[in-house]
Every structure is written in C-alpha cells, then in structure tokens.
Amino acid sequence: MTHMSVSGDSTIGDALLAGIDGSEIYALASQIFPICRSITGEGVRKTLANLGRILTLRLTEIPSGTPVFDWTIPREWTIRQAYIEDDAGRRVVDFRNNPLHVLNYSLPIRARLPLAELKKHIHTIAAQPTLIPYRTSYYAEQWGFCMAHALFEALHETHYNVVIDAALADGHLTYGEFFHRGASDNEVLLSAHICHPGQANDNCSGLALLSHLGARLSRQRTRYSYRIVFAPGTIGALAWLASNETGAARRIKHGLVLSCVGDSGGPTYKKTRRGNCFIDRVMVHVLMHASKTTTVLDFSPFGYDERQYCSPGFDLAVGLFQRSRFGSFPEYHTSADNLDLIGPEHLATSYRILCTAIDIIENDGRFLNLMPKGEPQLGRRGLYASLGGDPKAADTNLAMLWVLNMSDAKHSLLDIAERAGTPFSTIAEAARLLERHGLLQALPEAEPAN
Ligand code: ZN
C-alpha cells in the first residue's frame, strides 16, 4: 500500500477534533444513562438505537444457547418492575427510581417474606451506607435487590411484599459495530462494553465518546480501517471474537478498549498482553505528554474486554484506556457513578487523547534525509525561525534537527519523538516542513508493525 499522510497541513487528529468541546458527548451519555442495560435484552438494543442516531451501526444478534468458545449465549433478561413493599404498603425500594435496585439478571419473584428471609437477598455496602451497589448475577440463578445500607439497617420487623416482575427467556445477545473503510484493510479496533445500567463513567462515557469519534471518522479519509464494537462485557466480546475469528479479528493491528473516560482522574493506560506493541508506545507517548498524572500499568488478566482480546488464542494488540482506573474510585459500581461524576471537559480531554493517538497511528512513517552529509543550511531556506525568545520557534528548530539527524530510513517519526522527548505532532510538523523544502523524502511503506 502507499504511504498517504504526512503531506498536507491538517492532520486526522485536527479533523476529528474540530468543534468538539465535550458537551455533545456528555449529552449522549445523559441520554443513554437511564436505560436499564444487562448482558442481553431490550436495554442493549435501546442503547444501540440511541447511539445509532450518531453513527451507522450494524447489529448482530446471536441466539440464546449458541456456544461461543467455552461459554453459551444466555437467555434474554426482561425486567418490567421490581419493588419491596412493607405491610403498610410503603415501597422501601423501587426499581423505577434506580435500575441498580434490582440485582441485574435477577430471577423473577413474587412473595411475602419476613424480614430475616428478605435480608438474605439484599446487597448493600456497609462502608458506603448511602450508596446503592451495582451487582449482577449472570451465571448463578438467584433473585435479589440492592439498596443503601442505611436504609437496610432501618428496615423494621414485619413482613414484606417482594416483587420482581422479570423474565428470562430464549432470545438473543446483541452487539453493534461501526466500520469505517480506510486505504488499508488493516484495522484499528475500538471497543466499549454496553451492559451496565446506571453507571455513567463505567459505561455511558465510553459508549458516547466512541460514537462521536466514529461519526467524525466516517467523514475522513484514513490510512487504516476503523472498527468500533459495542458489546456486552465478556460474553459480548467473546461472541464478537467467535463470529470474527477468521475474518476481522485477523485484520486488527492496533486496538483499545475504553471505559471510565468521563471522570477527572488519571489518565490511565494498561498495556497489551505483549506489552511492547505499537499501540503501547503510542499511548504511553500521548499520555506522558498529555498529563503529569499519567499511570501506565502492565497487562493483567483482569479488567474489561482486553481480557478476551488478549487471551492467548488471539493475543491481539489491544490495550485499555481509562481516566481513573476501574475499582480505584469510590463511586465505582455504585449509584454515585452517575452523571455528576462525569463532565464535558473530562470527556473532551479523553477524546483529545484518543484523537492524538489516532494521529500517530495514521501518520507515523519513516523518512530519508536527502542531504545527510552534515546539516543542511536551514537558514538559507528560510527554515530556521529566528529564536527571538519564541519557545515554539525553538521547539520547531530543534524538532527539524532531530528529524534530519534520525531520518536514516531506519527510524520512524514516533522513534524520533520518543528519543527527542518531543510530542509526535511537533516532530511530524517538522517533517512536513522539511519534506516541502525537498530535504526529506517519505519512504513508501506499510503502516507500522503492531
Ligand atoms: Zn464495571
């Protein structure tokens, strides 16, 4: 394939960023926040329908009972209502007020129970007595409620009417995909889970951010093809891998799972299983220049769907990008992970980080210095900006010297940016300038190895 890219003044990252301030990402996250999601069922489809207004999605439905590797597609869960009512008819817990109140994927129940019996089915967090926990029971059949510990403690000795009007029946698991065709068949995978109810950061943020990114990508010409996958956690990613094992999964060269990208913490990057993939270098470079509070973690087989993408049978080059690391913030998996925890400005920062990473993926390449004997005389060509105390001019001058020195056909722009300790965009801009003045020649090559 040909090397398109470094000529032209605007970059993919700039084009993706233009006009995005985070408010539209936040608005979409707010829109899908109230939908009660689970790993199957109407909530996933409703969420995908909302995202589908922003970008074009192809839906795949896999019937219950279908084996996927060591797993089986579960039944569809439908929840209509759920509440606990005391003998006086007062509702102490009502699903209508918060989808977290019902144990996600709970079996149905309709019973009158004494307090001692009811308590066995109630989940709380004693250390966070005002918050409702988010709990699931996908693979163990049980019924249950979640509530604030303070309220739980205040329950009096009486009988309670317990209703979970839910159904578990054969149906489908649904996932959605966006695809943008680039010059190459090789793909960049971006993936977010779509199964958490009532979790703004740990779900809605990633879905909303990737939807807007996909919509922008669809209007650009890119070197890579881009695939965005919205699938229920674990079982959805497994279903996608099983359906694409001999197809798209083989074309993925670089990838990221996104979750918790709307809070003010981090940023955090967890490396791929291989730990030295191109995407690892890209994300470390971008985050180190983006923030002094960056955390880079080595791979561990715990977290989000990178666990499946990085399982040894696939071993894809997929890392995890987050702001606060999952499990590390007190709001995680509670009712406090709500729309107050995420903000447009944080979503915009995360979006910008992603665009910068895509810019590197799209524009990295190697060049040849056409005047490698000694330094070419930049001043004579009007390239050596007078220093005059302008730090930007000094940066550009230094970046040009780095690019000329390292462009021996062996080093890529990212190699140079890393060695110079300079943001990729500054190095790439210097390369464009030198190329325009005939001092540098882009080498035709495929995109960087993963
Ligand atoms: Zn979660």
Side-chain angles (χ1 to χ4, degrees), residues 277-297:
C277 296
F278 180 72
I279 188 69
D280 296 318
R281 291 177 56 204
V282 168
M283 289 305 288
V284 169
H285 178 79
V286 172
L287 292 190
M288 287 304 181
H289 284 284
S291 168
K292 290 189 174 67
T293 56
T294 289
T295 301
V296 176
L297 302 164

Side-chain angles (χ1 to χ4, degrees), residues 266-445:
T268 309
Y269 177 67
K270 187 178 104 176
K271 289 183 178 178
T272 66
R273 177 176 182 267
R274 284 182 258 159
N276 58 355
C277 296
F278 180 72
I279 188 69
D280 296 318
R281 291 177 56 204
V282 168
M283 289 305 288
V284 169
H285 178 79
V286 172
L287 292 190
M288 287 304 181
H289 284 284
S291 168
K292 290 189 174 67
T293 56
T294 289
T295 301
V296 176
L297 302 164
D298 281 328
F299 178 79
S300 67
F302 187 65
Y304 292 85
D305 287 329
E306 72 281 2
R307 292 159 64 165
Q308 314 311 328
Y309 298 127
C310 293
S311 56
F314 289 97
D315 205 11
L316 299 179
V318 176
L320 170 67
F321 170 50
Q322 307 195 285
R323 297 299 296 275
S324 287
R325 188 185 178 214
F326 70 91
S328 74
F329 52 99
E331 299 88 353
Y332 176 75
H333 280 192
T334 75
S335 50
D337 182 353
N338 57 39
L339 292 169
D340 295 334
L341 180 64
I342 65 172
E345 67 278 29
H346 312 313
L347 289 163
T349 302
S350 300
Y351 184 85
R352 201 174 306 122
I353 285 170
L354 211 54
C355 293
T356 310
I358 288 174
D359 217 25
I360 300 178
I361 291 169
E362 286 288 312
N363 289 310
D364 194 32
R366 289 178 298 166
F367 287 82
L368 189 63
N369 179 345
L370 299 174
M371 292 201 137
K373 295 180 178 169
E375 288 178 0
Q377 206 180 339
L378 298 178
R380 181 158 60 80
R381 295 178 171 82
L383 282 171
Y384 216 72
S386 91
L387 293 177
D390 175 1
K392 175 106 173 20
D395 286 352
T396 306
N397 288 343
L398 190 56
M400 281 191 293
L401 295 178
W402 271 111
V403 171
L404 286 167
N405 187 281
M406 299 272 291
S407 290
D408 52 5
K410 292 195 195 87
H411 296 96
S412 73
L413 294 180
L414 182 59
D415 292 332
I416 301 171
E418 286 174 338
R419 185 140 168 202
T422 302
F424 178 89
S425 57
T426 307
I427 294 293
E429 198 183 316
R432 274 195 291 273
L433 201 59
L434 294 166
E435 191 186 24
R436 272 207 300 275
H437 283 80
L439 291 170
L440 215 58
Q441 183 195 329
L443 294 174
E445 62 179 331

Side-chain angles (χ1 to χ4, degrees), residues 134 193 196 199 202-203 260 304 326 332-333:
Y134 161 50
H193 60 297
H196 288 30
Q199 301 289 281
D202 184 11
N203 212 176
C260 307
Y304 292 85
F326 70 91
Y332 176 75
H333 280 192

Side-chain angles (χ1 to χ4, degrees), residues 95-146:
F95 168 76
R96 277 182 305 191
N97 300 330
N98 195 316
L100 298 183
H101 274 315
V102 69
L103 177 71
N104 200 273
Y105 214 71
S106 171
L107 294 177
I109 177 99
R110 196 176 282 271
R112 186 166 177 275
L113 299 171
L115 180 61
E117 198 51 42
L118 172 63
K119 276 190 165 179
K120 294 179 191 163
H121 295 273
I122 295 185
H123 305 264
T124 69
I125 317 170
Q128 293 175 298
T130 60
L131 305 182
I132 309 163
Y134 161 50
R135 296 280 185 271
T136 66
S137 185
Y138 300 138
Y139 304 104
E141 296 206 341
Q142 54 178 313
W143 65 267
F145 285 91
C146 301

Side-chain angles (χ1 to χ4, degrees), residues 184-188 223-226 251-253 447:
S184 163
D185 286 340
N186 289 328
E187 295 187 11
V188 176
R223 171 153 62 155
Y224 280 94
S225 295
Y226 286 78
R251 296 192 292 272
I252 290 165
K253 296 298 164 196
E447 57 280 325

